[in-house]
Amino acid sequence: MRPTEHGFVGPLAGELEEYIRFKASMGRHGATRVQVLRSFDRHCLEHGAVRLERGVVERWIAHRIDANPGGCRSWFSYIRDFGRWMRLAHDPDAYVLSDQWKAGSPRPTPYLLTDREAALFLRAAGTLESPSPWAWQSRAFFMLMACCGLRTREVRRLAVGHVDHKARSIDVVDSKAGRSRRLPVGDEVAAELLECDQRSRERFGDDRPAFFVTSTGNPVSPGMPGVVFRRVWTRAGLEWPQAGKRPRPYDFRHRFAFANIERWTRDGVDVMAMLPYLAAYMGHAGIDSTLCYVPPAPISWTDTRTSSPTPNAWSRKRRNHEQGKENGRQLR
């Protein structure tokens, strides 16, 4: 059999190629996904597997784990997602990788930014005094995290060509686990990105290596957003905690997830029905990753420092979701 466009040659090559095209139509162009599924494709070829069955998938996974016992296992999500797609598109009996194969990792407890803190911070970011590009790019940088829920590294690695001012959208390319996505942005964010781009072009020309840059025109280093965040926080007149959890740029991503879910709950929207959309926007492989950003019982942003969490309809839905997963594990 001749290799497909993405190099698949096994019995499921056609389905794998169709799946990759499907993901590309949704703005997901991750090279890592193709690389991982090529490995699975070779496994199917070697073992004559013509269907997506449990034994075939789990033998392949066990082989990869044996080859790299301590490696990152985020690639589990690719074969799990392929199984879900196969069920919908070709084979209702296709195997979907069990949650027991998830490689869990402890997540840090977020600092829950209040509405007041977020508003004061973004206002101060727009007036930061600095001889560096952060004088005009800090507000745009942190607005992408606060209003679009982007990861810090996704903002750092944003290329000039990935910002479409006319369409008011951005492309987040080859992010976590190689996933990519296209995101619409609101009017305020779009205006901030346009102004930031114009200022940077005046200083560095049209061919700078990244949308956000340093004084020398180089891409922003991993540690710099945290340094600038602390400066803006102080400029906003916000008190820096002397003990306990301290704020960091990534907490804007937590706030984005939490705020959307709290708003849907308040408006009587079916949260579980909306979670797949939120997960896709945030670049998650599934809703379980999105749930990790949300405390068991959401509380008002304005009361984060003074009140205790109180159960509501959303917290009950989440408990039911978790209980359903636990029941499924027991049945297996």
Side-chain angles (χ1 to χ4, degrees), residues 5 56 123-124 129 132 190 214 218 237 242:
E5 178 184 350
V56 174
R123 189 181 308 157
E129 296 178 356
S132 76
T214 65
N218 293 315
Q242 298 303 309

Side-chain angles (χ1 to χ4, degrees), residues 173-203:
V173 178
D174 200 17
S175 185
K176 187 175 181 179
R179 292 188 288 268
S180 301
R181 61 197 191 277
R182 175 168 294 176
L183 305 178
V185 297
D187 293 346
E188 187 177 6
V189 177
E192 198 67 40
L193 289 173
L194 179 60
E195 181 179 351
C196 176
D197 191 24
Q198 291 172 340
R199 295 281 299 275
S200 293
R201 287 179 188 274
E202 292 173 3
R203 174 85 170 264

Side-chain angles (χ1 to χ4, degrees), residues 3-268:
T4 65
E5 178 184 350
H6 290 91
F8 302 120
V9 295
L12 293 174
E15 289 86 347
L16 287 164
E17 187 67 37
E18 186 180 346
Y19 167 72
I20 292 298
R21 289 198 297 267
F22 167 73
K23 299 303 289 188
S25 70
M26 299 177 64
R28 305 283 183 89
H29 301 280
T32 305
R33 183 193 308 273
V34 176
Q35 181 182 4
V36 169
L37 292 179
R38 278 184 193 149
S39 169
F40 178 69
D41 175 62
R42 290 193 298 271
H43 176 81
C44 291
L45 180 63
E46 292 170 3
H47 294 83
V50 297
R51 295 189 61 202
L52 195 64
E53 297 177 331
R54 178 171 183 168
V56 174
V57 173
E58 294 189 351
R59 278 196 300 271
W60 169 71
I61 286 177
H63 176 75
R64 284 181 63 96
I65 291 175
D66 288 343
N68 187 17
C72 174
R73 300 181 186 178
S74 59
W75 48 270
F76 283 177
S77 64
Y78 298 132
I79 194 66
R80 181 179 290 110
D81 191 56
F82 177 59
R84 292 178 180 136
W85 177 85
M86 280 287 287
R87 280 192 177 181
L88 292 173
H90 289 285
D91 182 1
D93 296 321
Y95 175 62
V96 176
L97 187 63
S98 165
D99 285 344
Q100 73 184 42
W101 290 95
K102 283 197 170 182
S105 59
R107 293 179 178 269
T109 303
Y111 179 97
L112 297 180
L113 292 157
T114 65
D115 286 340
R116 173 180 173 274
E117 287 172 335
L120 289 175
F121 182 96
L122 292 177
R123 189 181 308 157
T127 62
L128 185 66
E129 296 178 356
S130 173
S132 76
W134 287 105
W136 65 81
Q137 73 182 17
S138 60
R139 180 171 165 82
F141 188 99
F142 293 114
M143 279 189 76
L144 280 175
M145 299 193 70
C147 300
C148 300
L150 266 61
R151 301 176 176 94
T152 314
R153 67 176 176 178
E154 291 174 341
V155 184
R156 285 195 304 105
R157 295 169 58 185
L158 190 68
V160 176
H162 294 159
V163 179
D164 189 332
H165 297 297
K166 185 176 181 179
R168 296 188 176 184
S169 68
I170 61 173
D171 288 332
V172 181
V173 178
D174 200 17
S175 185
K176 187 175 181 179
R179 292 188 288 268
S180 301
R181 61 197 191 277
R182 175 168 294 176
L183 305 178
V185 297
D187 293 346
E188 187 177 6
V189 177
E192 198 67 40
L193 289 173
L194 179 60
E195 181 179 351
C196 176
D197 191 24
Q198 291 172 340
R199 295 281 299 275
S200 293
R201 287 179 188 274
E202 292 173 3
R203 174 85 170 264
F204 300 103
D206 295 337
D207 57 351
R208 64 188 191 277
F211 192 88
F212 298 103
V213 292
T214 65
S215 297
T216 57
N218 293 315
V220 174
S221 66
M224 184 53 65
V227 175
V228 177
F229 181 92
R230 177 71 181 267
R231 288 181 57 192
V232 175
W233 186 273
T234 302
R235 183 175 182 82
L238 297 168
E239 182 179 355
W240 189 260
Q242 298 303 309
K245 187 64 183 176
R246 293 181 173 87
R248 55 185 182 151
Y250 204 89
D251 290 317
F252 276 122
R253 182 168 164 86
H254 285 275
R255 182 183 188 276
F256 176 81
F258 193 176
N260 275 284
I261 290 173
E262 188 183 42
R263 173 169 53 83
W264 292 331
T265 302
R266 186 176 61 248
D267 294 345

Side-chain angles (χ1 to χ4, degrees), residues 112 258 262 295-300 303-312 315 319:
L112 297 180
F258 193 176
E262 188 183 42
I299 54 179
S300 171
D303 297 335
T304 302
R305 306 288 171 261
T306 58
S307 64
S308 300
T310 54
N312 55 22
S315 62
R319 285 199 300 272

